[in-house]
Amino acid sequence: MLDYIIRGGQVVTAGGVGSWDVGIQGEKIVAITETGRLTSDVGRVIDASGKVVVPGGIEPHAHVAAPIMGHAGMETAPPDQVSRAALFGGTTTIVDFAIQYPGIDIFQAIDERHGRWRGNAYADYTYHCMLLGDIPAAVMAQIPQVIEAGFPTFKIFTTNIRPNVYDRMARLGHMGAVMEEVAANNGLMVVHAEDDDIVQFLYTRLKEQGTYDWTNMHRAHTNMSEDISFRRVIRAAEWTGAAVYFVHVSAKEGVQAIREARGKGLPIYGETLHNYVSFTADDYQKSNGMKYHTYPSLKSEEDRQALWQGLLQGDLHTMATDEYCTTFALKIEGKEIDNVTGGHNGCETRMGITFTEGVAQRGMSLEQFVAITSTNAARLLGLYPRKGAIAPGSDADVVLIDPNVHKTLRMADLHISDYSIWEGWEIHGWPILTMLRGKVVVEDDRLLSELGSGQCIPRKIDPLMLTRPMC
Ligand SMILES: [Zn+2]
């Protein structure tokens, strides 16, 4: 007896796309067959004709209930709000950050996150371990056990991002040491790479020149900074044997550095953001144009096109949001390049915008759409094959996308915060039904899930992903 049959949709699997039926029992997918073949008793048949059936989206980069830079005591939106919006947008797993602040170790950082997420999530979740600044030897020594405990990804910064911030950047020596430890234990480096010398110098110079308002953000966080930093990180990865996942690639030089490294057979991967492929630094000029900002910065139209090329050709591997959900008032509060609020609320729009801009506008294959919104993140971060695939044995995290939804996106369509940089965007295709582990959690624009049903998913990365470019 099956609980569900999803019938007659265009199903996107690792083995191709076809008009198939998907059988679901309990929390798992148990069968994929030709349409009409699954005839056993079934609890419910979901008619998916005319729809695209994809694995639940995986958001690889979200800052949930995270401290807001420059606003002591304030946090980004909590797990219940973000995970609810994610389900509406077809994303079923969210990767947050467990931040190892000075004075606590990594396990304490993970426990702190458990305290925030457990019982408060609608979607499944896990966390990257974020290491800050000068990483103590005792913290370094925990890396093997942390990986063993199911958290194999470690985020570091090669910049303090803003002036007068001193606790964020991992200097090259520390970075190399973390890389050695992570590489030796089947982990993946997650790197925010910008050249701190260049960025800090440019902040100072822009201040002296009186060009310090937010519209100059890309003049502090430049293409040259991304180029040089990516290449230093790649070189350190080569020396230490580490695999690297570059977060929020923003410049054509970043794409090129990744492409070259992969050409040499190195396990180097790249993420970009759906606001980086939708907007450019020209949008900073609009009224309240700081609302488009995410660090490092929006770049030029040429860069935006290079990011799309990277996604279409496989030089970039994931579409993320850098979710950092605040109110609109807070998002536009900072008006200078050293106090603009980074990030934005995008977890709900990520899948639909990527479908619209990738599949409908640029002819991206459905397989590539699934790769960049789900499968690649699952493989890189160690969730695969439990997540990221429509395959027997995988969790029944399934999303139906209606490619015939053509409309202008309104705030009334969305379920988080009081603004979206995609308000007014013309969309072609949108998620209309979401299943999480065999339960329909969003249907007919209604949430059918209970708070607390999201689970922390343990992770383990296939070692092949860490030895050569595998997606
Ligand atoms: Zn981030």
Side-chain angles (χ1 to χ4, degrees), residues 61 63 155 322:
H61 185 161
H63 301 272
K155 163 104 177 262
D322 206 343

Side-chain angles (χ1 to χ4, degrees), residues 446-464:
R446 278 180 305 137
L447 183 75
L448 305 170
S449 172
E450 282 152 33
L451 186 62
S453 46
Q455 291 179 6
C456 184
I457 306 296
R459 295 183 287 131
K460 188 177 190 335
I461 305 173
D462 176 350
L464 275 182

Side-chain angles (χ1 to χ4, degrees), residues 44-67:
R44 178 185 166 192
V45 175
I46 296 174
D47 178 12
S49 48
K51 312 294 186 293
V52 180
V53 181
V54 300
I58 297 172
E59 162 55 78
H61 185 161
H63 301 272
V64 181

